[in-house]
């Protein structure tokens, strides 16, 4: 049983997804999906524990040995990401029952859980596999279900957002497919470890450069790295609240994992960071993303949309860490990956509570929220403080490591810019605080409001509490990410 | 290697550019989907070309040894074709629902309904 953990990680949600259709009753389906997600979480916790104790696990699918068969390879990096994805998915699913029941009608709820689990299985598959073509297949499984999930939104603009994302996402995935084709053409293998061993022997081949360019652009589209982020604000704004929380907490994190996996493991640091101008490209685009997206966020009226832009900005910080390229900077990126999942998961769940009560979350709905929905408002404030990066929250930890990594390489201007970027976050969080605590509720926006239901508040505060807990007790994330980044730069997968 | 012997790759590049151009330039959603299909098809042809060995036949065991084409890229692309079909059908389903709620499949009309006044803070404004 324990030797089959890597495949169980993916197959559990993948099999659970169609089973949802049989159960039909929404409450039952929710319980079933939640149980499936929790068991995936248990599997990933066991995997991380095994990897920490015994090193990387290699699993040959169907008993076909590595270069020929598909290999699932779990090392510290993907064990860490698997834990984040399944943990956040479980927290979001815990809140799903209340929120989805209010936002979708009966028949669609079953479909929602089916799509959710499919998307979840796809994301886990991308992270678990050690085969580049398998990455493409799982990427499409998760993407296709994501498009359908976004289209479930009540607003008709959700359809338009889903269609735009479908076009952009398909172009991105097809770019990755082209890149994989080039890699196979040049090396005759699809196994990541095999690729990592064979690619350096090819030297400065133009086909390998083309492969890298296609894969890089394709992943950046999925990652919503500035300026390829256009699909994200619409998709996050009009999707059902739970879908937004799930996507914000997991999907971009998995894309970032892919970026790391391809640049660091498959192509190698010497190729992608030393030989190509990727360092200045990633730092440059990351910083521009931080400043442009944060500035745009300040002027948003729809708060979901504001946090969507803030997500684009936070992706910028993570990419800057990849660009700096030292072990300390990679650690900062991995920390921020975890921390940002906690922040945005908590924040979007809190917004789901507001949408549950008022039907929308524009800035005018925040007026007087501090008295009308004290717990929800407090969750948003704590999440916002973490987003800014103040001490005692997780946001501080990852910014601290990023700034330390920048100073380590004498990039003091970069450290200054990271701090300035955080100040922009203060501006857009302050708008919410001002509206919530210093403005009187007016108009119809606040009629008949109460605190969000417990089913939503508990998961929200679980994630917000994690923001505080891991901001004070940083042992687990720091230890795992330190080992993972050392391991990444130390050699193959 | 003479360029003429690589004509299939030139076709791939041609189709890829036509497809991408259609996706970007066409305002009609159905035409966008067709462009996306042409773009994906070019990649299918690319993979099939990669697997072809000159003078090779199908990899069938018939006792004797003979030269055969690499079947792996062909198998891979079968998967990608299935993905392509799924994407197209989902895109068409979305286009139908967009037509129902906006009354049009022209990007211009949809955007016009989205932001009647500039500065409204809608998706495209």
């Amino acid at each position: 049983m324990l030797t089959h953990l890597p495949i169980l990680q993916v197959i559990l949600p993948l099999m659970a997804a169609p089973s949802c259709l049989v159960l039909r009753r929404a409450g039952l389906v929710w319980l079933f999906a939640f149980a499936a997600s929790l068991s995936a979480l248990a599997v990933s916790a066991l995997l991380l524990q095994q990897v920490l104790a015994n090193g990387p696990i290699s699993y040959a699918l169907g008993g076909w040995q590595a270069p020929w068969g598909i290999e699932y390879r779990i090392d510290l990096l993907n064990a860490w990401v698997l834990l984040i994805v399944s943990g956040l998915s479980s927290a979001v699913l815990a809140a799903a029952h209340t929120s989805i029941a209010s936002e979708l009608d009966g028949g669609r709820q079953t479909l929602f859980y089916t799509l959710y689990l499919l998307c979840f299985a796809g994301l886990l598959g991308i992270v678990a596999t050690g085969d580049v073509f398998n990455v493409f297949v799982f990427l499409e499984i998760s993407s296709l279900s994501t498009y359908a999930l976004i289209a479930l939104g009540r607003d008709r603009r959700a359809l338009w957002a889903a269609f735009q994302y479908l076009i952009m996402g398909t172009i991105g995935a097809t770019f990755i497919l082209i890149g994989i084709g080039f890699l196979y053409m040049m090396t005759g293998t699809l196994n990541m470890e095999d690729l990592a061993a064979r690619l350096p022997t090819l030297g400065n081949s133009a086909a390998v450069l083309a492969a890298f360019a296609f894969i890089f652009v394709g992943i950046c589209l999925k990652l919503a790295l500035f300026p390829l982020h256009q699909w994200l604000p619409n998709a996050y704004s009009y999707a059902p609240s739970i879908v937004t929380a799930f996507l914000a907490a997991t999907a971009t994190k998995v894309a970032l994992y892919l970026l790391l996996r391809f640049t660091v493991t498959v192509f190698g640091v010497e190729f992608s960071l030393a030989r190509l101008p990727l360092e200045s490209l990633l730092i440059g685009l990351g910083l521009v993303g931080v400043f442009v997206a944060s500035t745009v966020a300040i002027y948003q009226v729809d708060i979901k949309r504001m946090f969507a832009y803030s997500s684009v900005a936070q992706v910028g910080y993570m990419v800057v860490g990849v660009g700096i390229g030292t072990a300390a900077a990679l650690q900062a990126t991995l920390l921020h990956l975890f921390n940002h999942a906690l922040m945005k998961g908590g924040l979007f769940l809190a917004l789901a509570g507001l949408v549950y009560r008022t039907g929308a979350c524009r800035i005018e709905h925040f007026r007087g929220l501090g008295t009308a929905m004290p717990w929800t408002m407090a969750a948003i404030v704590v999440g916002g403080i973490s987003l800014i990066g103040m001490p005692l929250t997780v946001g501080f930890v990852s910014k601290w490591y990023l700034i330390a990594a920048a100073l380590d390489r004498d990039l003091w201007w970069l450290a200054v810019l990271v701090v300035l970027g955080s100040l922009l976050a203060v501006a857009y969080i302050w708008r919410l605080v001002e509206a919530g605590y210093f403005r009187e509720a007016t108009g119809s926006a606040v009629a008949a409001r109460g605190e969000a239901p417990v089913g939503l508040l508990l998961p929200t505060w679980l994630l917000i509490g994690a923001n505080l807990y891991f901001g004070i007790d940083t042992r687990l994330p720091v230890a795992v990410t330190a080992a993972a980044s050392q391991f990444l730069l130390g050699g193959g997968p | 290697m003479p360029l003429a012997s690589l004509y299939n790759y030139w076709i791939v590049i041609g189709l890829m550019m036509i497809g991408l151009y259609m996706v970007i330039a066409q305002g009609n959603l159905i035409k966008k989907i067709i462009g996306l299909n042409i773009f994906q098809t070019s990649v299918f042809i690319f993979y099939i070309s990669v697997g072809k060995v000159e003078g090779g036949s199908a990899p069938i065991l018939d006792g004797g040894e003979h030269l055969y084409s690499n079947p792996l890229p062909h198998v891979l692309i079968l998967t990608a074709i299935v993905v392509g079909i799924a994407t197209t059908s989902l895109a068409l389903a979305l286009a139908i629902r967009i037509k129902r709620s906006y009354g049009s499949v022209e990007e211009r009309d949809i955007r016009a309904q989205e932001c009647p006044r500039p500065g409204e803070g809608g998706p495209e404004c």
Side-chain angles (χ1 to χ4, degrees):
Chain A
M1 185 69 180
L2 279 180
T3 55
H4 292 293
L5 281 178
I7 189 65
L8 275 177
Q9 177 79 85
V10 182
I11 213 99
L12 273 175
L14 193 65
M15 290 293 126
S19 319
C20 284
L21 289 174
V22 185
L23 290 172
R24 282 171 177 278
R25 276 195 33 221
L28 214 60
V29 178
W30 169 71
L31 263 183
F32 180 72
F34 188 43
S37 182
L38 280 181
S39 49
L41 175 62
V43 170
S44 55
L46 277 174
L47 273 174
L48 181 63
Q49 187 208 354
Q50 281 199 355
V51 173
L52 277 174
N54 311 323
I57 304 167
S58 168
Y59 180 82
L61 232 67
W64 296 90
Q65 284 314 308
W68 295 281
I70 294 169
E71 181 194 20
Y72 277 19
R73 199 176 175 81
I74 314 291
D75 57 25
L76 265 176
L77 173 62
N78 49 8
W80 178 237
V81 180
L82 284 173
L83 187 71
I84 296 173
V85 171
S86 49
L88 266 296
S89 158
S90 305
V92 171
L93 256 184
H97 185 49
T98 323
S99 176
I100 282 303
S102 78
E103 289 189 34
L104 298 180
D105 43 286
R108 284 199 175 171
Q109 292 180 27
T110 319
L111 290 176
F112 163 81
Y113 292 110
T114 312
L115 288 169
Y116 185 101
L117 284 178
L118 263 183
C119 185
F120 180 45
L123 293 174
L124 290 175
I126 296 171
V127 181
T129 188
D131 180 285
V132 285
F133 195 79
N134 220 225
V135 166
F136 166 74
V137 175
F138 279 120
L139 186 71
E140 284 293 37
I141 290 179
S142 68
S143 301
L144 284 166
S145 40
T146 306
Y147 309 145
L149 279 172
I150 293 167
L152 284 175
R154 278 180 300 184
D155 197 313
R156 66 175 179 177
R157 281 175 288 190
L159 295 172
W160 182 227
F163 190 86
Q164 283 177 314
Y165 184 23
L166 184 141
I167 298 284
M168 295 298 276
T170 307
I171 291 175
T174 312
F175 268 33
I176 294 174
L177 184 64
I178 297 170
I180 291 169
F182 275 120
L183 284 183
Y184 182 73
M185 195 165 95
M186 295 312 290
T187 59
T189 182
L190 293 166
N191 186 284
M192 284 181 185
E193 207 185 1
D194 237 20
L195 277 171
R198 290 189 199 184
L199 279 173
T201 63
L202 291 169
N204 256 336
S205 149
V208 175
L209 283 176
F212 184 81
F214 274 116
I215 291 176
F216 180 70
V217 174
I219 293 174
C220 286
L221 253 170
K222 282 279 159 197
L223 179 62
L225 176 64
F226 179 89
L228 301 170
H229 67 283
Q230 309 290 353
W231 58 268
L232 187 138
N234 283 335
Y236 280 19
S237 309
Y238 303 121
S241 309
I242 286 297
V243 174
T244 311
F246 178 58
L247 291 181
T250 59
T252 46
K253 311 295 166 289
V254 169
L256 191 90
Y257 160 81
L258 268 187
L259 182 72
L260 275 175
R261 188 53 98 194
F262 272 101
T263 51
V264 180
T265 305
V266 175
F267 286 95
V269 191
E270 289 81 34
F271 179 85
S272 43
L273 287 177
R275 207 182 299 164
L276 295 176
L278 206 64
E279 179 182 322
S280 37
L281 190 71
L282 285 175
I283 295 181
L285 287 180
L287 281 178
V288 175
V290 166
F291 281 94
V292 172
S294 302
T295 311
V296 175
I298 296 174
Y299 294 100
Q300 293 308 311
V301 183
D302 184 340
I303 300 307
K304 255 191 187 176
R305 201 174 177 75
M306 183 190 98
F307 280 125
Y309 275 108
S310 136
S311 277
V312 176
Q314 300 295 320
V315 163
Y317 289 118
M318 294 182 230
V319 167
V320 166
V322 183
I324 297 175
T326 57
L330 284 186
Q331 188 191 357
T333 296
L334 290 176
L335 273 173
H336 203 50
L337 197 144
F338 172 61
N339 297 345
H340 183 243
L342 291 181
M343 298 172 206
K344 279 291 152 62
L347 280 169
F348 277 115
L349 282 186
L351 288 185
L354 182 60
V355 173
Y356 182 87
R357 284 293 177 218
T358 61
C361 55
R362 296 166 69 84
I363 185 78
E364 62 259 29
H365 294 103
F366 275 79
R367 293 201 180 147
L369 201 67
T371 42
M373 298 172 79
W375 285 98
T376 305
M377 190 60 209
I380 291 172
V381 170
V382 175
I385 287 174
S386 185
L387 200 60
I388 296 166
M390 298 229 248
L392 297 184
T393 59
V394 285
F396 175 72
V397 178
S398 38
K399 291 252 171 78
W400 179 263
Y401 274 85
L402 186 61
I403 290 171
L407 291 177
D408 237 20
R409 283 198 50 192
D410 289 330
L411 300 166
W412 57 269
W413 53 272
L414 183 58
V416 173
L417 287 175
V418 167
V419 175
L420 283 179
S422 309
L423 288 182
L424 286 174
V426 176
Y428 58 74
I429 297 300
W430 177 253
R431 289 168 69 222
L432 300 184
V433 175
E434 189 194 349
Y437 292 112
F438 303 115
R439 291 283 182 87
E440 289 300 311
T442 47
S444 60
V446 282
R449 232 170 21 184
E451 189 48 84
V454 182
L456 266 166
L457 263 189
L458 271 182
T460 307
W461 272 97
L462 181 75
L463 290 178
I464 295 295
N467 269 294
L468 296 172
Y469 178 79
F470 288 113
I472 296 163
D473 179 9
T474 57
R475 279 170 304 180
L476 174 75
V478 166
V480 174
T481 51
S485 53
Q486 288 293 346
F487 176 75
L488 259 178
L489 294 176
Chain B
M1 235 183 314
L3 285 179
S5 71
L6 294 174
Y7 71 94
N8 38 356
Y9 290 99
W10 288 107
I11 293 176
V12 168
I13 295 169
L15 283 176
M16 198 180 279
M17 293 306 125
I18 293 171
L20 261 184
Y21 179 77
M22 276 182 78
V23 175
I24 298 164
Q26 290 292 341
N28 185 300
L29 300 193
I30 305 297
K31 287 181 185 165
K32 267 187 198 291
I33 297 171
I34 295 173
L36 202 61
N37 261 303
I38 295 174
F39 174 56
Q40 287 181 314
T41 309
S42 75
V43 182
F44 303 160
I45 300 176
F46 168 63
Y47 265 75
I48 295 167
S49 301
V50 167
K52 176 67 183 167
V53 174
E54 213 149 310
S57 64
I60 299 168
L61 284 177
D62 56 359
E65 280 184 24
H66 58 85
L67 194 63
Y68 61 86
S69 290
N70 184 354
L72 186 75
H74 301 171
V75 177
L76 294 181
I77 220 57
L78 269 181
T79 316
I81 289 171
V82 175
V83 170
I85 292 170
T87 312
T88 309
S89 47
L90 181 60
L92 286 172
L94 282 175
I96 292 172
R97 286 189 50 202
I98 286 175
K99 166 83 177 161
R100 262 188 217 148
S101 46
Y102 285 92
S104 169
V105 286
E106 290 290 338
E107 197 178 344
R108 200 182 37 203
D109 297 343
I110 298 166
R111 283 179 195 269
Q113 290 183 46
E114 280 315 311
C115 37
R117 278 166 297 166
E120 266 283 78
E124 259 67 60
C125 304

